[in-house]
Amino acid sequence: MDFFPSALENLIDKFATLPGIGRKTAQRLAFYVIALDEERALAFADAIREAKQDVNFCEVCLNLADSDLCSVCRDERRSKKLVCVVPDPKGVLAIERSHEFDGVYHVLHGVISPIGNVGPDDIRVKELVKRVSGGEIEEVIMATNPDTEGETTARYISRLLQPFEVKVTRLAYGIPVGGSLEFVDDATLMRALEGRLEM
Amino acid sequence: MDFFPSALENLIDKFATLPGIGRKTAQRLAFYVIALDEERALAFADAIREAKQDVNFCEVCLNLADSDLCSVCRDERRSKKLVCVVPDPKGVLAIERSHEFDGVYHVLHGVISPIGNVGPDDIRVKELVKRVSGGEIEEVIMATNPDTEGETTARYISRLLQPFEVKVTRLAYGIPVGGSLEFVDDATLMRALEGRLEM
């Protein structure tokens, strides 16, 4: 027997399908939403509808976009010769935050993961190869995550791009700025030593 | 500059207004929702809309309801002479889970809290007094939370109901079933001793 009205139970179910949201939290969120005034609650519903309907993928880099091109690819000041390959749109955000990159992106929408049963054909590698084969791109920077799957994906793609006249690079490994040496793990320290620079 | 399409930024903002949901989590949830297939994403939007529009309050007990009366008040097998007073609709759910209560409820929608600036007029006490003054109710069980505000609310209401011929009781304090004595706090143990029963 449901003690709550079915529309409320339905909303709780919906919240509970979200990642990291358990039944209790879903209940709390649903209660919060129905306690909102009508206008704000409906604005929430519309926000979901509009985000789903208005957001699509950039034709060039597959980043999230609200028109054919994303805001980065539309920007004429960005160099189209330099492409940074990221696993997902959040990667774009991370790199943009550094304010250091003036090229464009390629969003893979995933990484190669034998355990997760994700192969090269399941992510947007073909689209990258096609872009590179156009001959305009001079450098591809691999910015996948510094874990096994990210490494595997970066290596796979770099091999795939070998036939083309393009430089393939990778984000540097090393100790994080502002960190403390004692909290840096062994693997990172090893990479930081390997990649040491002359002062 | 927003790097995400505005409709997505808007959805992230909406999620971030929910209690306990920070900016990062809101981003994660919004990304999840726009990655859902069209049908499921729109079902989510509709669930919010419908929960807000279809759910109202029971005319008698102020519990959540999808018609004039809630499912408990509609149930003819429930005794209308016994009323359990709970702070919110979640209280109804908690008591129902015990399968021990066959009376009806009164939902206060809050507790008296001098710190939170919530007075007796801000919660649904008047409605309770009006129900009791009808003369049908024989016993009112206070089931507010076992904290200072819950206690204060219970005492206030019990005084308010003194003029009427109604028994006012309170949920028993004591050690929780299945718990271990060593983890029971002093105040609870004191109450458990005070309320000890003959075997």
PDB file of all heavy atoms in Angstrom, chain A residues 59-63 73 82-88 92 101 104-109 123-132 137 140-141 143 157:
ATOM      1  N   GLU A  59      28.337  19.883 -33.887  1.00  0.00           N
ATOM      2  CA  GLU A  59      28.592  19.080 -35.089  1.00  0.00           C
ATOM      3  C   GLU A  59      30.069  18.788 -35.266  1.00  0.00           C
ATOM      4  O   GLU A  59      30.443  17.790 -35.870  1.00  0.00           O
ATOM      5  CB  GLU A  59      28.097  19.828 -36.330  1.00  0.00           C
ATOM      6  CG  GLU A  59      26.597  19.818 -36.483  1.00  0.00           C
ATOM      7  CD  GLU A  59      26.173  20.591 -37.711  1.00  0.00           C
ATOM      8  OE1 GLU A  59      27.057  21.168 -38.372  1.00  0.00           O
ATOM      9  OE2 GLU A  59      24.964  20.626 -37.992  1.00  0.00           O
ATOM     10  N   VAL A  60      30.909  19.675 -34.762  1.00  0.00           N
ATOM     11  CA  VAL A  60      32.345  19.514 -34.962  1.00  0.00           C
ATOM     12  C   VAL A  60      32.980  18.703 -33.839  1.00  0.00           C
ATOM     13  O   VAL A  60      33.616  17.681 -34.075  1.00  0.00           O
ATOM     14  CB  VAL A  60      33.036  20.891 -35.073  1.00  0.00           C
ATOM     15  CG1 VAL A  60      34.549  20.708 -35.148  1.00  0.00           C
ATOM     16  CG2 VAL A  60      32.521  21.634 -36.294  1.00  0.00           C
ATOM     17  N   CYS A  61      32.768  19.153 -32.596  1.00  0.00           N
ATOM     18  CA  CYS A  61      33.549  18.564 -31.506  1.00  0.00           C
ATOM     19  C   CYS A  61      32.727  17.678 -30.583  1.00  0.00           C
ATOM     20  O   CYS A  61      33.260  17.084 -29.657  1.00  0.00           O
ATOM     21  CB  CYS A  61      34.229  19.665 -30.701  1.00  0.00           C
ATOM     22  SG  CYS A  61      33.094  20.555 -29.626  1.00  0.00           S
ATOM     23  N   LEU A  62      31.409  17.612 -30.795  1.00  0.00           N
ATOM     24  CA  LEU A  62      30.518  16.773 -30.001  1.00  0.00           C
ATOM     25  C   LEU A  62      30.347  17.241 -28.558  1.00  0.00           C
ATOM     26  O   LEU A  62      29.836  16.517 -27.720  1.00  0.00           O
ATOM     27  CB  LEU A  62      30.975  15.307 -30.018  1.00  0.00           C
ATOM     28  CG  LEU A  62      31.094  14.705 -31.432  1.00  0.00           C
ATOM     29  CD1 LEU A  62      31.858  13.410 -31.388  1.00  0.00           C
ATOM     30  CD2 LEU A  62      29.704  14.494 -32.019  1.00  0.00           C
ATOM     31  N   ASN A  63      30.814  18.454 -28.286  1.00  0.00           N
ATOM     32  CA  ASN A  63      30.542  19.053 -26.987  1.00  0.00           C
ATOM     33  C   ASN A  63      29.044  19.401 -26.920  1.00  0.00           C
ATOM     34  O   ASN A  63      28.368  19.443 -27.940  1.00  0.00           O
ATOM     35  CB  ASN A  63      31.375  20.338 -26.836  1.00  0.00           C
ATOM     36  CG  ASN A  63      31.292  20.938 -25.452  1.00  0.00           C
ATOM     37  OD1 ASN A  63      30.812  20.299 -24.514  1.00  0.00           O
ATOM     38  ND2 ASN A  63      31.769  22.163 -25.316  1.00  0.00           N
ATOM     39  N   CYS A  73      33.599  26.152 -30.485  1.00  0.00           N
ATOM     40  CA  CYS A  73      33.810  26.041 -31.930  1.00  0.00           C
ATOM     41  C   CYS A  73      33.299  27.294 -32.663  1.00  0.00           C
ATOM     42  O   CYS A  73      33.787  27.651 -33.722  1.00  0.00           O
ATOM     43  CB  CYS A  73      33.115  24.794 -32.479  1.00  0.00           C
ATOM     44  SG  CYS A  73      33.953  23.266 -32.008  1.00  0.00           S
ATOM     45  N   LEU A  82      44.570  23.258 -33.078  1.00  0.00           N
ATOM     46  CA  LEU A  82      44.946  22.606 -31.827  1.00  0.00           C
ATOM     47  C   LEU A  82      43.671  21.983 -31.238  1.00  0.00           C
ATOM     48  O   LEU A  82      42.713  22.687 -30.946  1.00  0.00           O
ATOM     49  CB  LEU A  82      45.503  23.681 -30.887  1.00  0.00           C
ATOM     50  CG  LEU A  82      46.084  23.251 -29.554  1.00  0.00           C
ATOM     51  CD1 LEU A  82      47.243  22.283 -29.759  1.00  0.00           C
ATOM     52  CD2 LEU A  82      46.542  24.483 -28.782  1.00  0.00           C
ATOM     53  N   VAL A  83      43.680  20.652 -31.076  1.00  0.00           N
ATOM     54  CA  VAL A  83      42.482  19.978 -30.574  1.00  0.00           C
ATOM     55  C   VAL A  83      42.797  19.251 -29.281  1.00  0.00           C
ATOM     56  O   VAL A  83      43.739  18.455 -29.223  1.00  0.00           O
ATOM     57  CB  VAL A  83      41.944  18.959 -31.609  1.00  0.00           C
ATOM     58  CG1 VAL A  83      40.792  18.146 -31.033  1.00  0.00           C
ATOM     59  CG2 VAL A  83      41.490  19.687 -32.871  1.00  0.00           C
ATOM     60  N   CYS A  84      42.021  19.526 -28.260  1.00  0.00           N
ATOM     61  CA  CYS A  84      42.188  18.848 -26.978  1.00  0.00           C
ATOM     62  C   CYS A  84      41.112  17.771 -26.853  1.00  0.00           C
ATOM     63  O   CYS A  84      39.917  18.064 -26.924  1.00  0.00           O
ATOM     64  CB  CYS A  84      42.067  19.860 -25.843  1.00  0.00           C
ATOM     65  SG  CYS A  84      42.302  19.129 -24.231  1.00  0.00           S
ATOM     66  N   VAL A  85      41.537  16.520 -26.659  1.00  0.00           N
ATOM     67  CA  VAL A  85      40.593  15.402 -26.589  1.00  0.00           C
ATOM     68  C   VAL A  85      40.234  15.129 -25.141  1.00  0.00           C
ATOM     69  O   VAL A  85      41.109  14.821 -24.322  1.00  0.00           O
ATOM     70  CB  VAL A  85      41.191  14.136 -27.232  1.00  0.00           C
ATOM     71  CG1 VAL A  85      40.234  12.962 -27.102  1.00  0.00           C
ATOM     72  CG2 VAL A  85      41.515  14.402 -28.696  1.00  0.00           C
ATOM     73  N   VAL A  86      38.949  15.271 -24.798  1.00  0.00           N
ATOM     74  CA  VAL A  86      38.494  15.057 -23.421  1.00  0.00           C
ATOM     75  C   VAL A  86      37.456  13.937 -23.391  1.00  0.00           C
ATOM     76  O   VAL A  86      36.793  13.678 -24.395  1.00  0.00           O
ATOM     77  CB  VAL A  86      37.879  16.350 -22.828  1.00  0.00           C
ATOM     78  CG1 VAL A  86      38.950  17.410 -22.591  1.00  0.00           C
ATOM     79  CG2 VAL A  86      36.789  16.893 -23.728  1.00  0.00           C
ATOM     80  N   PRO A  87      37.315  13.264 -22.242  1.00  0.00           N
ATOM     81  CA  PRO A  87      36.375  12.141 -22.184  1.00  0.00           C
ATOM     82  C   PRO A  87      34.912  12.578 -22.234  1.00  0.00           C
ATOM     83  O   PRO A  87      34.080  11.864 -22.765  1.00  0.00           O
ATOM     84  CB  PRO A  87      36.697  11.453 -20.854  1.00  0.00           C
ATOM     85  CG  PRO A  87      37.450  12.459 -20.056  1.00  0.00           C
ATOM     86  CD  PRO A  87      38.127  13.366 -21.011  1.00  0.00           C
ATOM     87  N   ASP A  88      34.598  13.760 -21.665  1.00  0.00           N
ATOM     88  CA  ASP A  88      33.192  14.172 -21.603  1.00  0.00           C
ATOM     89  C   ASP A  88      33.097  15.696 -21.499  1.00  0.00           C
ATOM     90  O   ASP A  88      34.115  16.373 -21.344  1.00  0.00           O
ATOM     91  CB  ASP A  88      32.497  13.499 -20.420  1.00  0.00           C
ATOM     92  CG  ASP A  88      33.294  13.669 -19.141  1.00  0.00           C
ATOM     93  OD1 ASP A  88      33.814  14.772 -18.916  1.00  0.00           O
ATOM     94  OD2 ASP A  88      33.400  12.708 -18.368  1.00  0.00           O
ATOM     95  N   VAL A  92      35.738  19.476 -20.820  1.00  0.00           N
ATOM     96  CA  VAL A  92      35.833  20.789 -21.475  1.00  0.00           C
ATOM     97  C   VAL A  92      35.828  21.879 -20.405  1.00  0.00           C
ATOM     98  O   VAL A  92      36.665  22.781 -20.387  1.00  0.00           O
ATOM     99  CB  VAL A  92      34.654  21.008 -22.460  1.00  0.00           C
ATOM    100  CG1 VAL A  92      34.698  22.418 -23.024  1.00  0.00           C
ATOM    101  CG2 VAL A  92      34.685  19.971 -23.575  1.00  0.00           C
ATOM    102  N   PHE A 101      44.090  27.394 -22.510  1.00  0.00           N
ATOM    103  CA  PHE A 101      43.944  26.677 -23.767  1.00  0.00           C
ATOM    104  C   PHE A 101      43.145  27.511 -24.755  1.00  0.00           C
ATOM    105  O   PHE A 101      42.025  27.933 -24.460  1.00  0.00           O
ATOM    106  CB  PHE A 101      43.227  25.347 -23.494  1.00  0.00           C
ATOM    107  CG  PHE A 101      43.085  24.487 -24.707  1.00  0.00           C
ATOM    108  CD1 PHE A 101      44.196  23.927 -25.326  1.00  0.00           C
ATOM    109  CD2 PHE A 101      41.833  24.233 -25.242  1.00  0.00           C
ATOM    110  CE1 PHE A 101      44.048  23.131 -26.447  1.00  0.00           C
ATOM    111  CE2 PHE A 101      41.690  23.444 -26.360  1.00  0.00           C
ATOM    112  CZ  PHE A 101      42.808  22.900 -26.964  1.00  0.00           C
ATOM    113  N   VAL A 104      40.555  24.120 -29.759  1.00  0.00           N
ATOM    114  CA  VAL A 104      39.195  23.593 -29.670  1.00  0.00           C
ATOM    115  C   VAL A 104      39.235  22.190 -29.070  1.00  0.00           C
ATOM    116  O   VAL A 104      40.306  21.700 -28.705  1.00  0.00           O
ATOM    117  CB  VAL A 104      38.516  23.581 -31.063  1.00  0.00           C
ATOM    118  CG1 VAL A 104      38.243  24.999 -31.536  1.00  0.00           C
ATOM    119  CG2 VAL A 104      39.361  22.822 -32.072  1.00  0.00           C
ATOM    120  N   TYR A 105      38.068  21.568 -28.956  1.00  0.00           N
ATOM    121  CA  TYR A 105      37.990  20.289 -28.263  1.00  0.00           C
ATOM    122  C   TYR A 105      37.517  19.160 -29.169  1.00  0.00           C
ATOM    123  O   TYR A 105      37.001  19.392 -30.266  1.00  0.00           O
ATOM    124  CB  TYR A 105      37.020  20.403 -27.084  1.00  0.00           C
ATOM    125  CG  TYR A 105      37.535  21.314 -26.008  1.00  0.00           C
ATOM    126  CD1 TYR A 105      37.217  22.665 -26.010  1.00  0.00           C
ATOM    127  CD2 TYR A 105      38.374  20.826 -25.017  1.00  0.00           C
ATOM    128  CE1 TYR A 105      37.708  23.514 -25.037  1.00  0.00           C
ATOM    129  CE2 TYR A 105      38.876  21.674 -24.042  1.00  0.00           C
ATOM    130  CZ  TYR A 105      38.547  23.000 -24.053  1.00  0.00           C
ATOM    131  OH  TYR A 105      39.049  23.832 -23.098  1.00  0.00           O
ATOM    132  N   HIS A 106      37.669  17.949 -28.643  1.00  0.00           N
ATOM    133  CA  HIS A 106      36.929  16.815 -29.194  1.00  0.00           C
ATOM    134  C   HIS A 106      36.446  15.995 -28.009  1.00  0.00           C
ATOM    135  O   HIS A 106      37.260  15.532 -27.190  1.00  0.00           O
ATOM    136  CB  HIS A 106      37.796  15.963 -30.113  1.00  0.00           C
ATOM    137  CG  HIS A 106      37.011  14.879 -30.783  1.00  0.00           C
ATOM    138  ND1 HIS A 106      36.306  15.085 -31.939  1.00  0.00           N
ATOM    139  CD2 HIS A 106      36.763  13.601 -30.418  1.00  0.00           C
ATOM    140  CE1 HIS A 106      35.685  13.976 -32.277  1.00  0.00           C
ATOM    141  NE2 HIS A 106      35.935  13.060 -31.365  1.00  0.00           N
ATOM    142  N   VAL A 107      35.145  15.829 -27.904  1.00  0.00           N
ATOM    143  CA  VAL A 107      34.580  15.124 -26.752  1.00  0.00           C
ATOM    144  C   VAL A 107      34.300  13.668 -27.141  1.00  0.00           C
ATOM    145  O   VAL A 107      33.524  13.398 -28.058  1.00  0.00           O
ATOM    146  CB  VAL A 107      33.280  15.800 -26.284  1.00  0.00           C
ATOM    147  CG1 VAL A 107      32.727  15.083 -25.062  1.00  0.00           C
ATOM    148  CG2 VAL A 107      33.532  17.273 -25.963  1.00  0.00           C
ATOM    149  N   LEU A 108      34.952  12.740 -26.435  1.00  0.00           N
ATOM    150  CA  LEU A 108      34.835  11.322 -26.776  1.00  0.00           C
ATOM    151  C   LEU A 108      33.530  10.687 -26.302  1.00  0.00           C
ATOM    152  O   LEU A 108      33.099   9.685 -26.835  1.00  0.00           O
ATOM    153  CB  LEU A 108      35.997  10.540 -26.152  1.00  0.00           C
ATOM    154  CG  LEU A 108      37.394  10.817 -26.708  1.00  0.00           C
ATOM    155  CD1 LEU A 108      38.429  10.066 -25.880  1.00  0.00           C
ATOM    156  CD2 LEU A 108      37.473  10.391 -28.175  1.00  0.00           C
ATOM    157  N   HIS A 109      32.922  11.274 -25.276  1.00  0.00           N
ATOM    158  CA  HIS A 109      31.732  10.688 -24.644  1.00  0.00           C
ATOM    159  C   HIS A 109      32.002   9.278 -24.152  1.00  0.00           C
ATOM    160  O   HIS A 109      31.253   8.346 -24.428  1.00  0.00           O
ATOM    161  CB  HIS A 109      30.543  10.723 -25.599  1.00  0.00           C
ATOM    162  CG  HIS A 109      30.059  12.110 -25.848  1.00  0.00           C
ATOM    163  ND1 HIS A 109      29.224  12.768 -24.985  1.00  0.00           N
ATOM    164  CD2 HIS A 109      30.340  12.989 -26.838  1.00  0.00           C
ATOM    165  CE1 HIS A 109      28.994  13.988 -25.444  1.00  0.00           C
ATOM    166  NE2 HIS A 109      29.648  14.154 -26.557  1.00  0.00           N
ATOM    167  N   ILE A 123      32.784   4.825 -28.369  1.00  0.00           N
ATOM    168  CA  ILE A 123      33.040   6.243 -28.087  1.00  0.00           C
ATOM    169  C   ILE A 123      33.342   6.951 -29.411  1.00  0.00           C
ATOM    170  O   ILE A 123      33.455   6.303 -30.451  1.00  0.00           O
ATOM    171  CB  ILE A 123      34.176   6.418 -27.045  1.00  0.00           C
ATOM    172  CG1 ILE A 123      35.494   5.878 -27.590  1.00  0.00           C
ATOM    173  CG2 ILE A 123      33.816   5.712 -25.735  1.00  0.00           C
ATOM    174  CD1 ILE A 123      36.663   6.111 -26.653  1.00  0.00           C
ATOM    175  N   ARG A 124      33.438   8.279 -29.373  1.00  0.00           N
ATOM    176  CA  ARG A 124      33.481   9.021 -30.636  1.00  0.00           C
ATOM    177  C   ARG A 124      34.890   9.194 -31.179  1.00  0.00           C
ATOM    178  O   ARG A 124      35.370  10.315 -31.346  1.00  0.00           O
ATOM    179  CB  ARG A 124      32.793  10.369 -30.428  1.00  0.00           C
ATOM    180  CG  ARG A 124      31.505  10.276 -29.620  1.00  0.00           C
ATOM    181  CD  ARG A 124      30.459   9.397 -30.247  1.00  0.00           C
ATOM    182  NE  ARG A 124      29.848  10.014 -31.382  1.00  0.00           N
ATOM    183  CZ  ARG A 124      28.728  10.711 -31.334  1.00  0.00           C
ATOM    184  NH1 ARG A 124      28.090  10.864 -30.188  1.00  0.00           N
ATOM    185  NH2 ARG A 124      28.242  11.250 -32.427  1.00  0.00           N
ATOM    186  N   VAL A 125      35.548   8.057 -31.434  1.00  0.00           N
ATOM    187  CA  VAL A 125      36.909   8.074 -31.956  1.00  0.00           C
ATOM    188  C   VAL A 125      36.900   8.313 -33.465  1.00  0.00           C
ATOM    189  O   VAL A 125      37.684   9.102 -33.991  1.00  0.00           O
ATOM    190  CB  VAL A 125      37.622   6.739 -31.627  1.00  0.00           C
ATOM    191  CG1 VAL A 125      38.977   6.686 -32.300  1.00  0.00           C
ATOM    192  CG2 VAL A 125      37.766   6.571 -30.125  1.00  0.00           C
ATOM    193  N   LYS A 126      35.977   7.644 -34.145  1.00  0.00           N
ATOM    194  CA  LYS A 126      35.884   7.770 -35.616  1.00  0.00           C
ATOM    195  C   LYS A 126      35.785   9.231 -36.026  1.00  0.00           C
ATOM    196  O   LYS A 126      36.424   9.675 -36.978  1.00  0.00           O
ATOM    197  CB  LYS A 126      34.622   7.057 -36.121  1.00  0.00           C
ATOM    198  CG  LYS A 126      34.825   5.596 -36.483  1.00  0.00           C
ATOM    199  CD  LYS A 126      33.696   5.047 -37.330  1.00  0.00           C
ATOM    200  CE  LYS A 126      32.326   5.236 -36.743  1.00  0.00           C
ATOM    201  NZ  LYS A 126      32.039   4.284 -35.648  1.00  0.00           N
ATOM    202  N   GLU A 127      34.970   9.991 -35.276  1.00  0.00           N
ATOM    203  CA  GLU A 127      34.773  11.401 -35.601  1.00  0.00           C
ATOM    204  C   GLU A 127      36.074  12.188 -35.459  1.00  0.00           C
ATOM    205  O   GLU A 127      36.336  13.110 -36.215  1.00  0.00           O
ATOM    206  CB  GLU A 127      33.694  12.000 -34.683  1.00  0.00           C
ATOM    207  CG  GLU A 127      32.270  11.516 -34.971  1.00  0.00           C
ATOM    208  CD  GLU A 127      31.930  10.193 -34.292  1.00  0.00           C
ATOM    209  OE1 GLU A 127      32.847   9.504 -33.791  1.00  0.00           O
ATOM    210  OE2 GLU A 127      30.738   9.851 -34.258  1.00  0.00           O
ATOM    211  N   LEU A 128      36.901  11.782 -34.488  1.00  0.00           N
ATOM    212  CA  LEU A 128      38.186  12.457 -34.296  1.00  0.00           C
ATOM    213  C   LEU A 128      39.115  12.166 -35.477  1.00  0.00           C
ATOM    214  O   LEU A 128      39.748  13.075 -36.037  1.00  0.00           O
ATOM    215  CB  LEU A 128      38.833  12.006 -32.983  1.00  0.00           C
ATOM    216  CG  LEU A 128      40.234  12.575 -32.710  1.00  0.00           C
ATOM    217  CD1 LEU A 128      40.199  14.085 -32.567  1.00  0.00           C
ATOM    218  CD2 LEU A 128      40.843  11.936 -31.464  1.00  0.00           C
ATOM    219  N   VAL A 129      39.171  10.893 -35.852  1.00  0.00           N
ATOM    220  CA  VAL A 129      40.035  10.498 -36.968  1.00  0.00           C
ATOM    221  C   VAL A 129      39.631  11.254 -38.231  1.00  0.00           C
ATOM    222  O   VAL A 129      40.468  11.749 -38.982  1.00  0.00           O
ATOM    223  CB  VAL A 129      39.953   8.969 -37.202  1.00  0.00           C
ATOM    224  CG1 VAL A 129      40.756   8.567 -38.441  1.00  0.00           C
ATOM    225  CG2 VAL A 129      40.462   8.225 -35.978  1.00  0.00           C
ATOM    226  N   LYS A 130      38.330  11.379 -38.419  1.00  0.00           N
ATOM    227  CA  LYS A 130      37.838  12.082 -39.603  1.00  0.00           C
ATOM    228  C   LYS A 130      38.266  13.561 -39.573  1.00  0.00           C
ATOM    229  O   LYS A 130      38.695  14.111 -40.598  1.00  0.00           O
ATOM    230  CB  LYS A 130      36.307  11.980 -39.643  1.00  0.00           C
ATOM    231  CG  LYS A 130      35.754  12.293 -41.017  1.00  0.00           C
ATOM    232  CD  LYS A 130      34.273  11.960 -41.123  1.00  0.00           C
ATOM    233  CE  LYS A 130      33.674  12.742 -42.297  1.00  0.00           C
ATOM    234  NZ  LYS A 130      32.409  13.383 -41.977  1.00  0.00           N
ATOM    235  N   ARG A 131      38.177  14.164 -38.376  1.00  0.00           N
ATOM    236  CA  ARG A 131      38.598  15.568 -38.254  1.00  0.00           C
ATOM    237  C   ARG A 131      40.079  15.715 -38.590  1.00  0.00           C
ATOM    238  O   ARG A 131      40.489  16.612 -39.321  1.00  0.00           O
ATOM    239  CB  ARG A 131      38.383  16.077 -36.821  1.00  0.00           C
ATOM    240  CG  ARG A 131      36.978  16.513 -36.520  1.00  0.00           C
ATOM    241  CD  ARG A 131      36.842  16.907 -35.061  1.00  0.00           C
ATOM    242  NE  ARG A 131      37.289  18.276 -34.792  1.00  0.00           N
ATOM    243  CZ  ARG A 131      37.263  18.853 -33.594  1.00  0.00           C
ATOM    244  NH1 ARG A 131      36.829  18.162 -32.550  1.00  0.00           N
ATOM    245  NH2 ARG A 131      37.656  20.092 -33.437  1.00  0.00           N
ATOM    246  N   VAL A 132      40.881  14.798 -38.009  1.00  0.00           N
ATOM    247  CA  VAL A 132      42.336  14.873 -38.199  1.00  0.00           C
ATOM    248  C   VAL A 132      42.691  14.634 -39.673  1.00  0.00           C
ATOM    249  O   VAL A 132      43.563  15.289 -40.237  1.00  0.00           O
ATOM    250  CB  VAL A 132      43.052  13.860 -37.290  1.00  0.00           C
ATOM    251  CG1 VAL A 132      44.532  13.759 -37.637  1.00  0.00           C
ATOM    252  CG2 VAL A 132      42.881  14.261 -35.822  1.00  0.00           C
ATOM    253  N   ILE A 137      44.390  20.068 -38.742  1.00  0.00           N
ATOM    254  CA  ILE A 137      44.819  20.000 -37.338  1.00  0.00           C
ATOM    255  C   ILE A 137      46.313  19.700 -37.223  1.00  0.00           C
ATOM    256  O   ILE A 137      46.828  18.791 -37.883  1.00  0.00           O
ATOM    257  CB  ILE A 137      43.990  18.930 -36.595  1.00  0.00           C
ATOM    258  CG1 ILE A 137      42.516  19.372 -36.571  1.00  0.00           C
ATOM    259  CG2 ILE A 137      44.510  18.687 -35.189  1.00  0.00           C
ATOM    260  CD1 ILE A 137      41.543  18.295 -36.195  1.00  0.00           C
ATOM    261  N   VAL A 140      47.165  17.282 -31.513  1.00  0.00           N
ATOM    262  CA  VAL A 140      46.067  16.717 -30.717  1.00  0.00           C
ATOM    263  C   VAL A 140      46.602  16.477 -29.314  1.00  0.00           C
ATOM    264  O   VAL A 140      47.578  15.741 -29.132  1.00  0.00           O
ATOM    265  CB  VAL A 140      45.564  15.394 -31.330  1.00  0.00           C
ATOM    266  CG1 VAL A 140      44.564  14.726 -30.405  1.00  0.00           C
ATOM    267  CG2 VAL A 140      44.927  15.634 -32.694  1.00  0.00           C
ATOM    268  N   ILE A 141      45.981  17.118 -28.325  1.00  0.00           N
ATOM    269  CA  ILE A 141      46.403  16.936 -26.932  1.00  0.00           C
ATOM    270  C   ILE A 141      45.456  15.953 -26.263  1.00  0.00           C
ATOM    271  O   ILE A 141      44.252  16.206 -26.174  1.00  0.00           O
ATOM    272  CB  ILE A 141      46.355  18.267 -26.157  1.00  0.00           C
ATOM    273  CG1 ILE A 141      47.179  19.338 -26.876  1.00  0.00           C
ATOM    274  CG2 ILE A 141      46.836  18.075 -24.721  1.00  0.00           C
ATOM    275  CD1 ILE A 141      47.056  20.716 -26.245  1.00  0.00           C
ATOM    276  N   ALA A 143      43.701  14.583 -23.281  1.00  0.00           N
ATOM    277  CA  ALA A 143      43.430  15.011 -21.903  1.00  0.00           C
ATOM    278  C   ALA A 143      42.421  14.067 -21.258  1.00  0.00           C
ATOM    279  O   ALA A 143      41.468  14.489 -20.612  1.00  0.00           O
ATOM    280  CB  ALA A 143      42.937  16.453 -21.876  1.00  0.00           C
ATOM    281  N   ILE A 157      44.224   5.972 -29.250  1.00  0.00           N
ATOM    282  CA  ILE A 157      43.971   7.064 -30.191  1.00  0.00           C
ATOM    283  C   ILE A 157      45.284   7.554 -30.812  1.00  0.00           C
ATOM    284  O   ILE A 157      45.357   7.822 -32.008  1.00  0.00           O
ATOM    285  CB  ILE A 157      43.224   8.215 -29.485  1.00  0.00           C
ATOM    286  CG1 ILE A 157      41.796   7.751 -29.141  1.00  0.00           C
ATOM    287  CG2 ILE A 157      43.178   9.466 -30.365  1.00  0.00           C
ATOM    288  CD1 ILE A 157      40.982   8.761 -28.375  1.00  0.00           C
TER     289      ILE A 157
END
